[in-house]
Amino acid sequence: MTSFTLTHPPSRHITDEIAQSLRESIWAGRFKSGQPLRQDEIAAQFNVSKIPVREALAQLKSEGLVNFYTNRGAVVSKLTPSEVDELYTMRIALECAALERAIPALTIAELGRAENILASLDNEQNAINWSELNWQFHATLYGAAGMPRLMETIKTLHFNISRYLIIYLKQMDFQSASQAEHRTILDDCRRGDMAAAVFCLKQHLRSANEHLVTFLKYQEQELRRKNGRQ
């Protein structure tokens, strides 16, 4: 079981801290798809009771990162290429709707914040940090829509896919293309060109979907080939 270290003493936010540590371990691939997450071991690592651990695992279940099975407990979930494609189909519909609603309400400050995030993305080499900044960029633009329930759903979809995207980022180089698309989206938002911004966002997400699905299919083929040789 992976060791955890709290960044500050236990507090009333311990559940969120545990959830974030587990989330980052899943994103980084330290916890593999199908791996059990044993509550007693996690509780011992954090020196807490099982109650906040159960709450943290329930939080990850709501994000699609963990499944619960009878007699097995919590297990890291696995997404197939077809499920990733389905999640991106949902993301495209919801994120385009959010951006369309947000553009008329975007402020100079929000546009400036989005630009600063892109500058940080240019220099970020850590895949986990890159994924988090990527979310912050999109969330900064979508947030102006003033639709918190929609944002929560989009965030859940993003987190569910991000662990696979992080693995992909570590092995393939598509950050530069993604950044170029980000800047086009931001430029369209600055001009208030709703149609162009939404079109570019749709293409941006479709491209990420195609790359990730292709990558996961390749991984599955390699695993079958490897197992066939054993």
Side-chain angles (χ1 to χ4, degrees):
M1 174 64 73
T2 300
S3 295
F4 302 96
T5 302
L6 287 178
T7 55
H8 48 80
S11 68
R12 60 189 178 89
H13 301 299
I14 183 63
T15 294
D16 291 336
E17 295 181 23
I18 295 172
Q20 183 61 20
S21 288
L22 294 174
R23 187 183 294 115
E24 290 180 358
S25 291
I26 293 171
W27 286 347
R30 291 190 290 272
F31 289 148
K32 309 295 184 182
S33 297
Q35 181 173 343
L37 299 175
R38 307 192 186 286
Q39 293 185 27
D40 54 347
E41 294 181 8
I42 297 171
Q45 292 288 344
F46 282 97
N47 193 28
V48 297
S49 72
K50 291 184 181 180
I51 295 174
V53 175
R54 282 198 296 269
E55 293 173 349
L57 291 172
Q59 185 174 323
L60 296 185
K61 182 179 185 298
S62 72
E63 297 172 8
L65 297 177
V66 167
N67 289 326
F68 285 92
Y69 298 98
T70 303
N71 300 325
R72 290 184 66 194
V75 176
V76 178
S77 65
K78 178 181 179 180
L79 290 177
T80 64
S82 62
E83 288 171 328
V84 168
D85 183 63
E86 180 181 2
L87 291 175
Y88 265 107
T89 298
M90 296 169 66
R91 282 189 62 181
I92 289 169
L94 297 180
E95 293 185 38
C96 286
L99 184 62
E100 187 175 72
R101 185 70 69 91
I103 287 175
L106 279 168
T107 65
I108 293 175
E110 288 165 337
L111 292 168
R113 191 178 310 125
E115 180 63 50
N116 290 337
I117 294 170
L118 290 187
S120 296
L121 276 166
D122 283 335
N123 302 311
E124 184 55 65
Q125 301 299 315
N126 181 282
I128 294 177
N129 294 341
W130 199 97
S131 179
E132 176 60 28
L133 287 168
N134 176 62
W135 164 247
Q136 289 179 19
F137 168 74
H138 286 278
T140 297
L141 297 181
Y142 306 156
M147 304 176 75
R149 292 182 182 178
L150 179 61
M151 282 293 294
E152 193 62 33
T153 301
I154 293 172
K155 184 178 181 180
T156 296
L157 294 172
H158 171 88
F159 281 157
N160 204 352
I161 289 175
S162 62
R163 57 187 159 137
Y164 295 96
L165 189 60
I166 287 168
I167 295 170
Y168 175 76
L169 283 168
K170 289 180 177 178
Q171 301 187 37
M172 311 293 283
D173 179 22
F174 93 117
Q175 288 102 315
S176 58
S178 179
Q179 278 291 81
E181 292 164 359
H182 284 155
R183 286 199 158 82
T184 300
I185 293 168
L186 183 56
D187 289 343
D188 291 336
C189 288
R190 280 202 182 97
R191 295 198 311 272
D193 191 336
M194 186 183 299
V198 170
F199 176 80
C200 188
L201 174 61
K202 186 178 295 186
Q203 295 304 110
H204 173 67
L205 293 173
R206 281 178 176 170
S207 176
N209 181 27
E210 290 169 3
H211 281 90
L212 188 53
V213 166
T214 299
F215 176 70
L216 291 177
K217 286 180 178 178
Y218 172 77
Q219 280 198 321
E220 286 187 346
Q221 291 170 356
E222 287 297 299
L223 182 60
R224 285 195 295 269
R225 188 178 297 112
K226 179 180 178 181
N227 292 337
R229 291 198 298 265
Q230 293 177 348

